[in-house]
Amino acid sequence: MKKELQRERNRLLYSIDRLLDGPMIFLGFVWLVLLIVDLIWGLSKTLDYISIGIWILFIIDFIVKFILAPAKLNYVKKNWLTAISLIIPALRVFRIFRFLRVLRSLRGLRLVRIVSSLNRSMKSLGATMKRRAFGYVVLLSLVVTFTGAAGMFAIEKPAPGFDSYGMALWWTAMRVTTAGSEYSPTTPEGRGLAFLITLFGFAIFGYVTATLATFFIGRDAEEKDAPVAGAQDVAELRKEIALLTRMINEMKEKLA
């Protein structure tokens, strides 16, 4: 009885997840854009209300899935960054309390908010691109670059190299491409965000290098005089092997 109930809850959870997948992906991208706008220019009242509305929908989605999840502790462990991303905006809603206003001004909360929002956006982007690995990496790099630049600008301004969003964007792009820059962050939170951006850049650089190498090797293999065997060469070799195998079998039958 208990196992049957768990199976039914899993089926219901899967159905709800599939039903809400598209809208939640779209709202995830909208929320990320609003985050970037908020970090750079701040949100107007209308955009602030939209952000709060999306946040409430995310909370409802999280609570419903948490209730339906058979293993609630495992669900929280797998989605702990998502849970944090839903807690941070509460400081915007309940800013009537003075101590929450003080907490909201801390750069550390901005860093947590950026990382947790990027985590949700990565999930949305991954669900959108699915098996298009290279396209996913390219779009993810753009998302990390623009969002990371907004975070560095919000945390580090008016330090040299981060006194405008354009400069912060250039600095972040250099970090993502592992090129480096003469400017360095001065705050602990900025250094933490810079470290995460650098880790992402090294990881992506290795993947892109391997992908480009595979592409050029494949192009070389298509040439007739290429030193590397291509797919066509392998197919012809298989045909010859099959022909030789058939001839050997026929000779065995004649000798028998």
Side-chain angles (χ1 to χ4, degrees):
M1 184 67 182
K2 187 177 180 180
K3 291 183 179 180
E4 183 65 27
L5 181 61
Q6 287 183 348
R7 282 195 292 267
E8 288 297 326
R9 293 175 71 175
N10 281 327
R11 291 194 198 100
L12 183 58
L13 180 61
Y14 178 74
S15 300
I16 293 176
D17 199 26
R18 287 193 61 183
L19 180 65
L20 299 179
D21 191 34
M24 288 299 135
I25 289 174
F26 174 75
L27 291 178
F29 287 127
V30 173
W31 207 31
L32 182 64
V33 172
L34 291 175
L35 170 65
I36 296 174
V37 172
D38 187 23
L39 292 172
I40 302 172
W41 302 287
L43 296 178
S44 64
K45 285 188 177 181
T46 302
L47 292 179
D48 201 12
Y49 291 146
I50 293 174
S51 178
I52 293 173
I54 295 174
W55 170 63
I56 293 173
L57 291 176
F58 283 157
I59 288 180
I60 295 173
D61 176 68
F62 184 85
I63 291 175
V64 169
K65 291 178 180 178
F66 175 76
I67 293 173
L68 292 176
K72 292 179 171 49
L73 184 59
N74 290 335
Y75 181 81
V76 173
K77 286 181 179 179
K78 291 180 180 178
N79 298 275
W80 64 274
L81 266 178
T82 301
I84 292 175
S85 70
L86 296 176
I87 293 173
I88 298 299
L91 304 182
R92 300 174 57 85
V93 178
F94 301 107
R95 55 179 175 263
I96 54 174
F97 299 104
R98 182 175 298 176
F99 75 97
L100 286 178
R101 286 205 300 271
V102 172
L103 284 175
R104 185 169 171 249
S105 66
L106 295 177
R107 292 189 179 96
L109 287 181
R110 286 180 176 177
L111 177 59
V112 174
R113 186 182 174 202
I114 293 166
V115 173
S116 57
S117 297
L118 271 175
N119 175 68
R120 174 176 285 277
S121 299
M122 288 171 63
K123 289 182 178 180
S124 298
L125 191 59
T128 303
M129 299 302 294
K130 293 182 179 179
R131 294 187 179 182
R132 301 170 186 173
F134 188 73
Y136 168 74
V137 169
V138 172
L139 289 179
L140 180 60
S141 300
L142 292 175
V143 169
V144 170
T145 300
F146 281 93
T147 308
M152 295 302 298
F153 172 68
I155 293 172
E156 290 293 323
K157 67 176 180 181
F162 306 97
D163 50 353
S164 68
Y165 179 68
M167 289 295 295
L169 182 61
W170 174 82
W171 183 91
T172 307
M174 292 300 99
R175 279 299 179 101
V176 170
T177 57
T178 68
S181 170
E182 68 270 24
Y183 301 109
S184 298
T186 57
T187 64
E189 295 79 12
R191 290 169 184 165
L193 181 57
F195 176 72
L196 294 176
I197 292 172
T198 303
L199 283 181
F200 174 83
F202 277 115
I204 294 303
F205 181 78
Y207 176 82
V208 172
T209 301
T211 302
L212 291 176
T214 303
F215 171 76
F216 286 118
I217 290 173
R219 290 292 298 271
D220 289 340
E222 292 176 1
E223 301 292 334
K224 292 183 178 179
D225 299 329
V228 181
Q232 186 175 359
D233 297 326
V234 174
E236 291 178 356
L237 183 61
R238 287 177 176 175
K239 289 180 180 178
E240 292 180 1
I241 292 174
L243 180 61
L244 288 173
T245 303
R246 188 166 60 252
M247 292 175 63
I248 291 172
N249 291 333
E250 290 177 354
M251 291 178 63
K252 286 182 177 179
E253 291 178 359
K254 290 180 179 179
L255 292 174

